Amino acid sequence: MTQLEAAKKGIITPEIAKVAADEFIDVNELVNLIAEGKVVIPKNINRNFDVRGIGRKLKTKVNANIGTSGDCPFLDVELKKLEAAIRAGTDSVMDLSTGGDLNAIRREIEKNCPVMLGTVPIYAVAAELAMKDLTTDKIDEEVLLRNIEKQCREGVDYITVHCGITKESVARMDNSDRVCGIVSRGGSILANWIRTHQKENPLYEYYDELLKIAYKYDVTLSLGDGFRPGATADATDRPQIDELIILGELAKRAYDKNVQVMIEGPGHVPLSQIATNMMLQKRLCNEAPFYILGPLPTDIGAGYDHITAAIGGAIAGAAGADFLCYVTPAEHLCLPDEDDVYQGVMASRLAGHIADMEKGVPGAVERNRQMSIARKELDWERQFELALDPETARKKFKRNHDMGSCSMCGKLCAVKIDKKL
């Protein structure tokens, strides 16, 4: 029985009870939100870890992408990135590996991952073909489904599947005037497969088989946005919205089969369109949890895209996004290193917290009030305790020579002057 099926029957599972306690939400209210498909708890029946919920009335969650590439297939490097992501406080990790022994890498990451773990199964199938110098249009439908089954059986908690790309939508994409075209790796692979074979997307055609696999292991489907905009000029265009409509239909089919589902979203979106994108998703996708990349409200932040994404993420979260996929300073440039991973998680966590303040998530506003009180009292230890990144805050503070005030103000400390007054 999946978490969704249990909630529909009014059953409080240990996972539901844990999330309710962590989020300071009434457990019966949480059961109702899960039963309505507005909250998911991604947890494979074959894994045990510190579960977290994603969705309405819960804290905005953050995901960190890690994974090898064909040029950097080193497991030890990815395990260090995993450790950096956990140390930075990520709620989730996705293994997007495309180089090396993919099965061994995924299993080792899963073994060392204390939070929910996601994958994009089509990456593994495409990467194995690439290692044999074969093109991605050689993907076999049955092999793809078998790979999905294997990853689910071995314990992956949620999978990104680009089911919303169809023969019709690819034709519409090909007739669009996009600046950047298709920037989703999974989206580009499937669109190319459809064009080559003139057949329907296997993830769409065999969606019922996919639902059976997901139900068996209670794997949450993250319905991927294969046509997400990769340029602000492409945001909220016909291909993006066309896919979103299909994802809404597929989300309803998953819900009816007691499979937990969330929707993935953009992408590059101008500031003025972010709230609209959040509203469209919630309206078209039955208020399923929304998992977004960024979004990035400008295209020129190369080297600083973790900041760009934090700006967009805060606005998106406040407007209803539930799950932020981090963006690192290396985005668009290279494979991220440990520090990039850490910085990316922290930036997204800041965005998520700002959003939580606006959404009225319990404790978010009060934490800020407590920080302000600690600053007024020059209570440095309390400030470190309340800071999002106590380790970095403490390191910065150690630069001070006078431990009674920050070195920026010295004898002209406003707090001390105000206290005297």
Side-chain angles (χ1 to χ4, degrees), residues 40 47 102 292 308 313 357 384 389:
V40 296
R47 267 194 94 211
L102 300 177
I292 60 173
T308 304
M357 292 175 67
F384 300 148
D389 185 353

Side-chain angles (χ1 to χ4, degrees), residues 300-336:
I300 64 168
Y304 299 91
D305 274 329
H306 59 311
I307 298 173
T308 304
I311 294 168
I315 294 169
D322 308 287
F323 193 18
L324 305 181
C325 184
Y326 85 165
V327 173
T328 76
E331 188 76 13
H332 302 109
L333 301 172
C334 62
L335 205 64

Side-chain angles (χ1 to χ4, degrees), residues 111 130 157 255 260 328 381:
K111 176 182 173 183
D157 302 299
Y255 174 83
Q260 297 191 91
T328 76
E381 286 302 321

Side-chain angles (χ1 to χ4, degrees), residues 25-41:
I25 184 172
D26 179 78
V27 69
N28 292 310
E29 182 179 11
L30 180 59
V31 166
N32 290 335
L33 289 169
I34 295 171
E36 293 169 355
K38 297 174 183 176
V39 169
V40 296
I41 302 178

Side-chain angles (χ1 to χ4, degrees), residues 123 162 165 173 178-189 191 225-231 234 266-268 293 331-332:
Y123 285 5
H162 302 86
I165 295 176
M173 166 63 79
R178 274 201 169 188
V179 173
C180 261
I182 303 174
V183 300
S184 160
R185 183 159 43 186
S188 67
I189 290 170
D225 51 339
F227 289 164
R228 70 172 180 266
D234 297 336
H268 293 239
L293 178 65
E331 188 76 13
H332 302 109

Side-chain angles (χ1 to χ4, degrees), residues 174-206:
D174 290 343
N175 288 322
S176 73
D177 56 356
R178 274 201 169 188
V179 173
C180 261
I182 303 174
V183 300
S184 160
R185 183 159 43 186
S188 67
I189 290 170
L190 285 165
N192 182 54
W193 191 94
I194 290 169
R195 294 186 192 108
T196 301
H197 297 280
Q198 288 300 300
K199 293 171 64 177
E200 189 54 271
N201 174 3
L203 293 177
Y204 182 79
E205 183 174 358
Y206 301 109

Side-chain angles (χ1 to χ4, degrees), residues 335-393:
L335 205 64
D337 61 18
E338 290 174 66
D339 185 61
D340 292 326
V341 168
Y342 191 88
Q343 294 298 324
V345 172
M346 280 300 172
S348 287
R349 285 187 63 205
L350 276 170
H353 175 72
I354 292 168
D356 290 347
M357 292 175 67
E358 291 302 307
K359 289 190 282 193
V361 171
V365 170
E366 181 59 25
R367 182 172 177 178
N368 285 264
R369 178 178 172 79
Q370 292 301 317
M371 175 63 94
S372 298
I373 292 171
R375 283 181 175 151
K376 178 67 174 177
E377 298 300 324
L378 296 176
D379 185 343
W380 300 104
E381 286 302 321
R382 180 62 172 155
Q383 290 180 55
F384 300 148
E385 179 185 333
L386 291 164
L388 195 72
D389 185 353
E391 179 183 339
T392 297

Side-chain angles (χ1 to χ4, degrees), residues 1 130 382 407:
M1 188 163 54
R382 180 62 172 155
S407 56

